[in-house]
Amino acid sequence: MCSHHPACPSADSLDRERSHVISAHPDQGWSLLCNGVVLFEDTGLLLPDGSVVAPHRAPVAA
């Protein structure tokens, strides 16, 4: 799905949220990433295979 160079992380990689936003809908609380992941404003994810990742906080670098 991604045509960026270098390619965005795939939907099944741990850094999948680093992919480019291709469609943002802040009024509805979600964005579509170029790897097919739907990112919700509460940090929950809907993966292209239909599985769900519960809301979470990204690790913070020290």
Side-chain angles (χ1 to χ4, degrees):
M1 201 180 232
C2 178
S3 62
H4 300 102
H5 185 45
C8 290
S10 66
D12 59 351
S13 68
L14 294 177
D15 60 346
R16 59 185 151 236
E17 295 172 50
R18 294 182 58 214
S19 294
H20 289 89
V21 174
I22 58 172
S23 182
H25 297 276
D27 54 318
Q28 296 176 3
W30 63 274
S31 295
L32 176 63
L33 305 180
C34 73
N35 58 3
V37 172
V38 177
L39 172 65
F40 294 96
E41 66 182 13
D42 69 355
T43 69
L45 304 171
L46 179 61
L47 303 181
D49 66 1
S51 59
V52 174
V53 177
H56 59 285
R57 291 190 182 261
V60 177

